[in-house]
Amino acid sequence: MGIREEKMTVDDQAARARAEKVEALLAQLTAEEKVNLVSGLGFNLNFSQPEAFETVPGAAGYTYPVPRLNIPSIVLADGPAGLRIWPDRPGHNRKYYATAFPIATALASTWDVDLLTAFGHSVGHEAREYGVDLWLAPGMNIHRDPLGGRNYEYFSEDPFLSGTLAAATVDGIQAEGVGATIKHYVANNQETNRVTVDTKVSERALREIYLRGFEIAVKSSKPWSVMSSYNQVNGTTVSEHERLLIDVLRHEWGFDGVVMTDWFGGYDAVAQMKAGNELLMPGMPERTEAIRTALDCGDLDEAVLDRNVRFILDVVFRSLTANDHSRTDTPDLPANARHARQAAADGVVLLKNASATLPMSSTARVAAFGTGSYDFIAGGVGSGDVNEAYTVSLVEGLEARGIRLDATLSEMYATYEAEEKAKLPKKRMFFELAPSIPEMPLSEQCLERAVADNDLAMITLSRDSGEFQDRSLEGDFYLTLAEQTMIDEVSRAFRAAGKPVVMVINSGNVIEVASWEDKVDAIVLPWMGGQEAGHAVADVLLGDVNPSGKLPTTFPVRYEDVPSAEHFPGIELDGEGQVFAGGLMVAKPAEVTYAEGIYVGYRYYDAFGVAPLYPFGFGLSYTTFEYSDLVLSDEHFNRVVRVSVTVTNTGDVAGKESVQLYLSAPSHKQYKPVRELKGFAKTGTLQPGGAETLTMLLDAKALASFYDDQAAWVADAGSYTVYLAASSRDLRLSGEFHLAEDIVVESDLTELSPADNPDQLIPG
């Protein structure tokens, strides 16, 4: 028996033991206790005074305990860039910090499954030691539009990449005995009116784009929990959507964990119970009372309540708390900081490097411009934020490496930032996104002195974003006038002296680059790199780490090129605005049409002939790689095709390369993307001249498309082309195999969408 089979046997035995225990407890629970168990204990926003039930101050929620039956309360805490707890505790002199890892988009830029698993282990370790049982992450919604306020919490525009990396993260954290919660299920791709918006989407787009990543994660890694989203899908609130929660998630995919609401999500607690949303978080007395009343009057069958309690108790008895784990409150934060630094460096994407500007010399004298150079943003705002002990800025990272920075310029920025920050209103709570300070005006005298005293200029553009609000076009996706002026002036002054300009983009989201790209010599994208970002960027700038990051999302030339641009974030309907979650959220009735259908991200740009600025999967290196020896295991498909390719480092510097496998399928029966990502693999560090052979697998599901009229995934007969690529548009090698006849991979699936809601965007 192999290790995997042995583990499955052990897991099955444990599951059977839990099931027996849960059945015994169900027979002893009163109806009142069952009603209480399907709801959390409440939500505390008082930082200074934890509630009596809070064992981990700052945790997002707790399940209901039943002490007389030894059913404990388990602890739920936010993510996904690390563990979100409060650093301060009444009566304690010490701080309880957690590690701020790079945001999900930066982690996805590594294209490294092993790194994501290690990241899960690191977060799981902190959760264990701080007494957290269930981590409310990873987030894995699709980057449908670059203005999405929480894109930084999510991996990619592509469901295969998102699902694979989410599964790796889940594997890592659950190996530590801590449960993972994949979220927000499903089609939750905006913040504007996210509590009320009705997402109008075809079933094919729902299946192939928005559900697919969740399907991969559920089937591959078996997360303990799934969080349902606030929005509606085609007229039904997701937490009340039986077809999505029971038919698809449980019956089709075999999910065996617990479904919980997003905090305060949904409207009808009884409908949620019937639809298979077992746990209502964080817990509200009025919803508990509604369930109690429905049970008493016969509107809710106790058998439905029992079903929901079973799933909750099964997860409770998987937990560390239920298994008498002793927390230490002393996780190995220095070790996790090292892990965060490595992850941040591996996620840096080099977008431009004209005339080999980078890596820079260790003796270079640097003039650092932009407020962001002195004050890096580690991560976004809201429930995805982390209370870390520190954040290393760009200048701090360079100074730690002995780089001589322009002291006069640094002092000017320090004074300016202190004055400008003093003008900002105080944040009312941690969810609030504070306004950014404008860029410091630069005098001609300042620029002349900086050029004379330094070898190169470095500019940082910073963007913050977060929960409850989507981004703006002006001054966010597009640069502010002050930022444009800064780039123009620094570029003019330094280039006139033959000195290069390096740009660093410290952002959680895509920004417009095309209008100023030619004014700088190198562009480095570390995203929001967590608390160690400054060290990680310095590692890349100085060449200690050869950048190997690749874009998990497309950079358009202009916003108008984005396929969802005309429909994001939808339209507001007649009706009054509603206040939710104790005033945290205000939303109006709204709907958004996913008119682009399956053509999201690179699928759209390729099919409609729209050139992006930087394509999906793009990223430069300080070395070069050659792809060779493409081998397909068979030219006729028979259950699986094994694809192998050899990657050789043909440059002078050691480095790593992520190889992407795209598949072009026959399109004689229905329109399909030009090609889709169906596999990827990353080499180890290859020395100059070194080579490695990578292997990827294609199964029948990878070949299949969803057919609405058949309610089935079908792989069409015909010729399939495999592309091995360095990006979605840098296709290095290709091969072909054939499928003799159609394969119905999965059939008789649940109908999720109205028949009159087709994809509306079709290539000509």
Side-chain angles (χ1 to χ4, degrees), residues 61-276:
Y62 296 80
T63 62
Y64 198 92
V66 184
R68 74 177 186 88
L69 295 176
N70 294 317
I71 299 173
S73 171
I74 65 170
V75 184
L76 291 66
D78 274 318
L83 191 66
R84 180 172 182 81
I85 58 173
W86 292 341
D88 298 308
R89 298 181 184 178
H92 291 232
N93 293 324
R94 59 164 290 200
K95 300 283 189 178
Y96 296 84
Y97 291 118
T99 304
F101 290 90
I103 61 170
T105 308
L107 292 172
S109 297
T110 69
W111 293 68
D112 189 332
V113 171
D114 292 339
L115 186 146
L116 269 291
T117 303
F119 160 67
H121 277 285
S122 296
V123 177
H125 162 72
E126 289 190 17
R128 284 178 63 93
E129 300 313 309
Y130 278 133
V132 171
D133 298 292
L134 196 57
W135 190 48
L136 303 177
M140 50 185 306
N141 292 108
I142 293 295
H143 294 177
R144 175 178 177 250
D145 191 287
L147 300 186
R150 292 180 85 176
N151 280 0
Y152 73 95
E153 292 192 41
Y154 309 135
F155 293 113
S156 173
E157 69 186 32
D158 181 80
F160 180 81
L161 182 61
S162 296
T164 304
L165 296 181
T169 304
V170 172
D171 284 343
I173 193 164
Q174 292 189 172
E176 297 291 329
V178 177
T181 304
I182 58 174
K183 66 182 186 183
H184 307 83
Y185 180 84
V186 62
N188 178 192
N189 305 105
Q190 64 188 67
E191 292 301 286
T192 304
N193 296 315
R194 68 171 167 148
V195 190
T196 55
V197 69
D198 185 5
T199 299
K200 302 295 186 182
V201 56
S202 73
E203 181 161 7
R204 185 181 177 197
L206 196 56
R207 292 277 188 176
E208 292 191 11
I209 304 297
Y210 301 101
L211 285 170
R212 182 69 180 123
F214 287 96
E215 179 183 6
I216 291 169
V218 166
K219 290 181 175 179
S220 299
S221 61
K222 297 187 179 300
W224 290 12
S225 179
V226 169
M227 183 185 291
S228 60
S229 56
Y230 291 118
N231 54 288
Q232 301 171 57
V233 170
N234 296 324
T236 302
T237 302
V238 172
S239 63
E240 301 167 14
H241 204 307
E242 183 175 342
R243 292 184 178 184
L244 282 171
L245 299 182
I246 295 179
D247 295 344
V248 173
L249 188 56
R250 293 208 183 277
H251 294 167
E252 292 183 16
W253 300 350
F255 177 63
D256 65 355
V258 66
V259 177
M260 71 175 74
T261 60
D262 202 341
W263 267 224
F264 307 98
Y267 303 91
D268 186 332
V270 177
Q272 289 171 317
M273 290 293 100
K274 294 176 180 179

Side-chain angles (χ1 to χ4, degrees), residues 21 75 88 126 148 170 204 214 243 304 327 434 464 573 620 665 702 713 753:
K21 183 174 185 176
V75 184
D88 298 308
E126 289 190 17
V170 172
R204 185 181 177 197
F214 287 96
R243 292 184 178 184
V304 171
R327 60 192 262 195
D464 206 353
L573 306 175
L620 301 174
W713 287 91
S753 300

Side-chain angles (χ1 to χ4, degrees), residues 589-623:
E591 68 178 30
V592 58
T593 300
Y594 285 19
E596 68 279 3
I598 63 170
Y599 291 105
V600 177
Y602 70 90
R603 290 169 171 81
Y604 168 78
Y605 295 98
D606 290 347
F608 289 81
V610 178
L613 181 64
Y614 303 121
F616 176 80
F618 174 80
L620 301 174
S621 171
Y622 296 151
T623 191

Side-chain angles (χ1 to χ4, degrees), residues 103 152 372 375-380 433 436-437 439 460-466 471-481 483-484 504-512 516 527-528:
I103 61 170
Y152 73 95
D375 193 12
F376 255 14
I377 299 171
L433 181 63
S436 58
I437 64 175
E439 282 299 339
T460 299
L461 292 176
S462 286
R463 291 288 184 275
D464 206 353
S465 58
R471 301 171 64 205
S472 301
L473 273 178
E474 300 305 320
D476 193 345
F477 178 82
Y478 291 109
L479 271 56
T480 65
L481 178 59
E483 289 171 330
Q484 295 170 3
V504 176
I505 302 175
N506 171 213
S507 172
N509 280 295
V510 170
I511 66 171
E512 187 273 331
W516 53 267
W527 302 102
M528 294 173 173

Side-chain angles (χ1 to χ4, degrees), residues 328-342:
T328 66
D329 279 329
T330 55
D332 192 345
L333 296 180
N336 279 357
R338 293 191 292 272
H339 297 161
R341 179 172 179 168
Q342 177 193 345

